Amino acid sequence: MDTPLTVPDLADATELSCDVLVIGGGTAGTMAALTAAERGANVLLLEKAHVRHSGALAMGMDGVNNAVVPGRAEPDDYVAEITRANDGLVDQSTVRQTATRGFGMVQRLESYGVKFEKDEHGEYAVRQVHRSGSYVLPMPEGKDVKKVLYRQLRRREMRERIRIENRVMPVRVLTHPDDGRAIGAAGFHTRTGEFVVVRAGAVILATGPCGRLGLPASGYLYGTYENPTNAGDGYAMAYHAGAALTGIECFQINPLIKDYNGPACAYVANPFGGYQVNRHGERFVESDYWSGQMMAEFAAELASDRAPVYLKLSHLPEETIGAVESILHTTERPTRGTFHEGRGHDYRTHDIEMHISEIGLCGGHSASGVRVDSHARTTVPRLYAAGDLASVPHNYMIGAFVFGDLAGEDASQYTAYEGELDGEQLAAAHELVYRPLRRPEGPPQPQVEYKLRRFVNDYVAPPKTGAKLSLAVEAFTRMSGEIAGMGARTAHELMRCAEVSFIRDCAEMAARASLARTESRWGLYHERLDHPERDDAGWLHHLDLRKSPSGAMEFTARPVEPYLVPVPEFAPPGGPERHLGEVELVPVATAGPRDTAPAARPHTDASADTNTDTDPQIAVGAPPVEAPHPRLLRLLSLVEDSPDLDALGPYLDDTDPAVRAAAVTALGETAPVGTGPVLAARLRDDSPLVRAAASAALRELVEVLPAEPELGDGLREALALPDPAVRSAALEVLRALRLGDAALYGGALTDTTVEVRVQAVRALVSVDAVTELAVAAADPAREVRVAVARGLAAVRNPAPEPLGPLLDDPDPLVRGAALAALAGTGCPPAYAASTGAALGDAAWQVRSGAATALRAAPADLAVPALAKALADANADVRKAAVLSLLAHRADPTARTALAGASDDPDADVRAYAARAAR
């Protein structure tokens, strides 16, 4: 039997010191550490796992949801949209930071090597997902963002300033007993169990959301929508340090794939033509933004006889589905393809059943978090919060980077604390960590956590009522004793037990805050059945909570700051803060009124409660893992020191292809000087494993590789290699680095592989080679001809004439693409007549393309045809017609037609038609 750990003496704690302490090595934490170090601070980065693989970002990211790219979106429009999405309850000064600094952050990330999708001319390929605003910027290699950031942390100049301590989990922020400022943290090592104390000049919390709050429908503790390691650590630490939290009643609830802990990825699928439908194939979403209101519509549809609900992809052509698969199965959740394969499902024949996630707390996707100002400062001096932990509504990944940067910049002004640490705070943190070791046979963490989160589902998840929320508070208070009685034997189990205490704190905060806000707001996020109406007169206020001096949870109604960007729908009343105190529970002990009080019962000591009424969990054993090659282990160890090419050389020339491939991957992680030509040379490797690794690394590093002649020579040589994946990668990198010309790209149009020829078309667009593109219009592959049609509209000086042959193409997808391209090239009268005739084509894709083309046609020719198209049987055709009519809204006939579309059965058609009145 294993010998359990012993409780270490508090006096034997390991002490560390730094200017800036960053807790959490994910998105915001990494950026905070880099910025603080760049400004001269000595930084300590603590991560309870390993920075290289930690945080939600390490799970993969398919794109940026809130990129305000100049020329495509305006900061004020973004601020207004987020204000509407959050029902008016925002501090616009914080949202504006993301709006104005987000594009600079995109460029900074790009300089690190993060790859954002661009068009053939190198412009950001921003897409529109919601009905207002174009903010979505795809990331083709999003799965590697964390690797790129880790590479920055390990740069030699950063290693001199940033000390990384992996496997150290803080449990409490230490504060000065006199003025309450943050002066450090206390925690423990999750492998050795040693107690760790840190002195710091400032503390930055970047621990992510509380994603492990509600219990997933699957019943798996760690099968959550969010990264399951995000257990609300920072929420609890901020609360116990005295910081104000806000919006905790505004939950995060997301659409996800049924029985799979991953998003349905509408942000990816919708720009490709996917959409959400009920079982009849009808679009039903009325809301313009993915918000609590949209989730309310989603929940209502699921509860109706029109359920189930699906993400519809089966109507898309093969090449589009292939493109969607290439993103969805490699970025946001790499296991997604395996999941569908196990069900025997294919996007070509099966739409994706969707459901609703468990509840969680997350500023980045809703609004709940630690209250911060526009510099990421909390209400505790020298304590900062950034990322999903901070209450900056709908801040997403770019916002996490922006506020990590802001926190690092502001915190860098402070130097390490050298005074005495409060003994009571240290003792309390020590007790929180090690109490499970004193009862190794106590209830195990999985059982206690399962019970706790089942109560969250039963009593806290919406729709909410005062009675259920009051039962929740009673349950969470009662479970404090059960949590104190949990047993553990290893340092890993100590970590999990501490996480349960954080989840319990967050659960109580969520229940009490939901009780305090006596209205409904944010759609499904805070739906009170006993207070069903939104009450702007009484509740257009932030609801702040904090720990009172007595240890109770108390509330304040804080007025919304005057808007920087007016939003007509909301008029914050202003005025002073209202201190609400502790929330009053609804009596729930009896059913109905009680006439006489019951007889008193003898007092029992709750601290002696040994209740083990827990729920079972099924442990699934992992298969044995084969030991890795010794040279691979040496290589992995070497990568931690950012080796140069000379150090990696022996591994790049190793006889084992697995070692060579790992060395190529290491090049992608460290990117020493001279990496580009070496990777190009590895495209000629005998092993397909090595060639694939070299192709992936070149694509990943394309933003940071210098466009040197030697690299260009290697890529051009690769165009003659037999591996089509290598040829495709070589063309893509040549185009991105501007190392090719029309003659080179035109030669690739004769390649035997379709994907290579598609890459050649994109490359020709980048050099505006219209003549060569016109040649490709006769390509035998439909995918290539579709790419040519789109490309002819993307050159710098587009004209409709080269589209002529494609407008008569025998394939309806090609004709549809060519017609849609006329919206970009212009649709003069000679083309408008034939385009109008195409509205009668048998293929809906052609009719949709024709309706899109008429956006650029003269109004007198376009509007009558588009008005007739509003009666088309296909909703996508009607939607295209409405969007084109909006471009002609100055025409009275167009406005009349749009008014008639306001009662269309399709939600998208109705919503866009309604814009004519704005």
Side-chain angles (χ1 to χ4, degrees):
M1 188 174 183
D2 294 337
T3 302
L5 286 174
T6 57
V7 178
D9 195 290
L10 180 57
D12 295 332
T14 298
E15 286 208 15
L16 304 172
S17 179
C18 61
D19 297 331
V20 177
L21 171 61
V22 180
I23 299 176
T27 309
T30 302
M31 188 59 66
L34 289 169
T35 296
E38 288 170 357
R39 282 158 176 74
N42 290 317
V43 180
L44 175 61
L45 177 57
L46 299 185
E47 168 55 54
K48 67 181 178 182
H50 192 293
V51 172
R52 185 175 181 178
H53 306 294
S54 62
L57 194 58
M59 299 174 69
M61 188 65 61
D62 53 51
V64 174
N65 295 350
N66 55 342
V68 183
V69 176
R72 298 300 305 273
E74 294 297 327
D76 283 3
D77 292 340
Y78 174 80
V79 171
E81 182 159 339
I82 296 302
T83 303
R84 293 186 184 97
N86 209 54
D87 277 0
L89 280 183
V90 298
D91 178 351
Q92 287 192 347
S93 68
T94 61
V95 177
R96 190 168 176 78
Q97 288 284 48
T98 298
T100 57
R101 298 168 70 106
F103 181 61
M105 184 57 65
V106 167
Q107 293 178 308
R108 178 175 175 181
L109 292 170
E110 200 168 52
S111 74
Y112 291 166
V114 176
K115 186 177 178 182
F116 298 96
E117 185 171 329
K118 295 182 178 179
D119 63 20
E120 293 80 1
H121 296 289
E123 302 294 334
Y124 294 100
V126 183
R127 293 175 176 168
Q128 182 172 356
V129 172
H130 306 296
R131 298 191 187 104
S132 59
S134 297
Y135 306 114
V136 176
L137 181 56
M139 298 166 63
E141 307 295 332
K143 64 184 184 300
D144 296 322
V145 177
K146 194 64 193 291
K147 182 170 68 174
V148 172
L149 293 173
Y150 189 67
R151 183 169 69 230
Q152 291 299 310
L153 288 172
R154 303 306 296 162
R155 284 167 43 214
R156 296 187 189 279
E157 57 268 36
M158 287 294 101
R159 281 186 289 171
E160 295 174 359
R161 287 286 186 183
I162 302 174
R163 174 176 177 177
I164 299 175
E165 288 292 337
N166 293 306
R167 314 294 181 189
V168 174
M169 178 183 183
V171 297
R172 287 291 185 263
V173 171
L174 301 176
T175 58
H176 196 284
D178 294 335
D179 58 19
R181 73 181 188 272
I183 56 175
F188 69 104
H189 197 285
T190 64
R191 289 295 181 266
T192 66
E194 65 183 301
F195 195 59
V196 179
V197 176
V198 181
R199 299 169 183 269
V203 179
I204 300 174
L205 293 173
T207 56
C210 183
R212 218 162 84 219
L213 184 60
L215 190 67
S218 65
Y220 295 122
L221 285 181
Y222 306 113
T224 51
Y225 177 93
E226 287 285 355
N227 184 339
T229 64
N230 292 332
D233 308 34
Y235 284 77
M237 283 190 280
Y239 172 73
H240 289 290
L245 294 92
T246 192
I248 303 301
E249 70 280 16
C250 180
F251 298 163
Q252 172 187 232
I253 307 170
N254 291 294
L256 77 169
I257 302 172
K258 178 75 170 177
D259 288 337
Y260 177 74
N261 64 320
C265 293
Y267 279 99
V268 173
N270 284 21
F272 281 95
Y275 46 81
Q276 295 71 46
V277 298
N278 56 31
R279 69 183 177 91
H280 302 299
E282 300 163 340
R283 281 184 287 226
F284 59 89
V285 174
E286 301 280 354
S287 298
D288 285 346
Y289 193 83
W290 208 285
S291 60
Q293 181 56 44
M294 185 174 286
M295 289 310 304
E297 295 173 11
F298 206 93
E301 202 73 8
L302 279 176
S304 75
D305 65 352
R306 299 178 297 278
V309 166
Y310 298 88
L311 176 62
K312 186 167 185 60
L313 297 174
S314 57
H315 65 295
L316 300 175
E318 170 60 34
E319 50 268 37
T320 303
I321 287 180
V324 171
E325 284 178 331
S326 70
I327 299 172
L328 295 187
H329 297 178
T330 59
T331 53
E332 185 84 32
R333 294 291 191 277
T335 58
R336 178 171 174 152
T338 305
F339 169 80
H340 290 311
E341 183 179 352
R343 293 290 179 94
H345 290 177
D346 187 294
Y347 299 155
R348 296 151 187 83
T349 56
H350 293 73
D351 295 319
I352 304 167
E353 186 180 353
M354 301 171 69
H355 203 65
I356 289 179
S357 73
E358 68 287 342
I359 67 169
L361 302 178
C362 179
H365 288 82
S366 61
S368 53
V370 179
R371 176 182 163 187
V372 295
D373 66 11
S374 58
H375 295 280
R377 306 178 190 118
T378 73
T379 57
V380 170
R382 302 195 187 187
L383 180 64
Y384 299 80
D388 285 340
L389 169 70
S391 179
V392 185
H394 300 282
N395 218 22
Y396 302 114
M397 183 188 75
I398 285 297
F401 279 129
V402 166
F403 273 80
D405 178 51
L406 290 166
E409 179 180 359
D410 203 73
S412 65
Q413 64 185 291
Y414 301 111
T415 56
Y417 175 72
E418 297 178 353
E420 289 296 317
L421 297 174
D422 186 88
E424 290 186 7
Q425 293 182 40
L426 290 174
H430 188 273
E431 174 63 17
L432 172 65
V433 172
Y434 297 109
R435 65 188 178 190
L437 292 181
R438 299 190 177 95
R439 302 184 60 178
E441 303 304 325
Q445 163 263 331
Q447 293 184 5
V448 178
E449 182 177 334
Y450 187 94
K451 181 176 182 178
L452 170 65
R453 292 168 62 192
R454 191 195 69 203
F455 281 139
V456 170
N457 279 22
D458 289 347
Y459 297 139
V460 185
K464 310 172 188 179
T465 68
K468 289 197 300 181
L469 293 167
S470 297
L471 285 171
V473 171
E474 291 182 359
F476 302 146
T477 302
R478 182 175 65 249
M479 285 202 69
S480 295
E482 297 181 37
I483 291 170
M486 286 188 298
R489 302 173 63 88
T490 68
H492 180 80
E493 290 173 347
L494 287 178
M495 176 182 71
R496 293 301 187 211
C497 288
E499 288 177 339
V500 176
S501 74
F502 299 150
I503 296 169
R504 195 220 69 85
D505 288 346
C506 290
E508 183 179 352
M509 285 189 272
R512 289 186 183 272
S514 295
L515 262 174
R517 183 175 286 279
T518 53
E519 65 156 357
S520 289
R521 189 173 290 270
W522 308 296
L524 190 63
Y525 296 166
H526 181 66
E527 181 186 355
R528 284 282 301 260
L529 295 179
D530 47 352
H531 296 281
E533 301 299 323
R534 193 177 84 189
D535 177 13
D536 282 351
W539 275 112
L540 192 54
H541 287 76
H542 300 285
L543 181 65
D544 292 355
L545 70 85
R546 70 182 75 219
K547 188 176 183 180
S548 71
S550 66
M553 195 175 293
E554 61 180 17
F555 293 87
T556 299
R558 175 170 52 93
V560 175
E561 290 293 322
Y563 288 159
L564 303 174
V565 179
V567 179
E569 298 95 315
F570 301 100
E577 293 187 356
R578 288 184 288 132
H579 182 69
L580 306 178
E582 296 181 47
V583 69
E584 184 177 351
L585 302 186
V586 174
V588 289
T590 62
R594 181 186 299 276
D595 296 327
T596 58
R601 294 199 299 173
H603 173 73
T604 58
D605 183 4
S607 64
D609 184 12
T610 57
N611 178 21
T612 58
D613 177 22
T614 53
D615 296 285
Q617 291 285 289
I618 300 173
V620 181
V625 179
E626 184 179 347
H629 195 293
R631 291 197 297 282
L632 283 176
L633 293 177
R634 290 197 296 272
L635 174 60
L636 291 174
S637 177
L638 179 66
V639 170
E640 291 295 316
D641 295 324
S642 299
D644 56 20
L645 285 178
D646 290 339
L648 289 172
Y651 299 96
L652 290 166
D653 295 327
D654 197 277
T655 56
D656 188 335
V659 175
R660 297 200 303 278
V664 167
T665 300
L667 273 178
E669 293 185 7
T670 57
V673 175
T675 291
V678 172
L679 289 175
R682 283 296 149 192
L683 294 175
R684 300 190 293 273
D685 197 280
D686 292 337
S687 167
L689 184 67
V690 179
R691 297 196 301 272
S695 297
L698 281 166
R699 283 183 159 121
E700 176 189 336
L701 296 175
V702 71
E703 300 295 345
V704 294
L705 291 176
E708 52 194 320
E710 188 178 357
L711 173 56
D713 292 342
L715 293 171
R716 281 188 287 272
E717 291 175 13
L719 294 178
L721 295 174
D723 189 334
V726 166
R727 300 197 301 273
S728 177
L731 274 172
E732 182 177 343
V733 178
L734 282 166
R735 171 181 58 79
L737 295 179
R738 299 293 190 264
L739 288 172
D741 54 27
L744 178 70
Y745 301 147
L749 290 175
T750 60
D751 197 280
T752 57
T753 301
V754 170
E755 174 56 30
V756 177
R757 301 202 301 275
V758 169
Q759 287 292 348
V761 168
R762 294 200 69 200
L764 287 168
V765 173
S766 72
V767 293
D768 299 309
V770 174
T771 301
E772 288 79 1
L773 283 171
V775 172
D779 193 280
R782 177 177 73 187
E783 301 94 320
V784 177
R785 301 199 305 277
V786 168
V788 170
R790 292 169 178 165
L792 287 170
V795 296
R796 295 200 183 277
N797 294 301
E801 290 77 15
L803 288 167
L806 297 170
L807 292 170
D808 296 323
D809 196 279
D811 190 288
L813 289 183
V814 178
R815 295 201 305 279
L819 285 161
L822 287 172
T825 65
C827 186
Y831 286 83
S834 58
T835 297
L839 287 171
D841 196 280
W844 71 266
Q845 294 92 340
V846 174
R847 303 197 304 275
S848 177
T852 301
L854 290 172
R855 189 179 312 172
D860 60 329
L861 298 176
V863 171
L866 290 169
K868 292 180 181 178
L870 291 176
D872 196 282
N874 184 277
D876 280 334
V877 177
R878 301 198 304 276
K879 177 180 174 181
V882 163
L883 290 172
S884 290
L885 282 167
L886 285 172
H888 297 293
R889 71 178 78 184
D891 187 303
T893 307
R895 292 197 299 273
T896 300
L898 287 166
S902 61
D903 59 353
D904 192 278
D906 184 84
D908 270 8
V909 176
R910 292 195 303 272
Y912 281 115
R915 290 181 174 272
R918 297 183 185 178

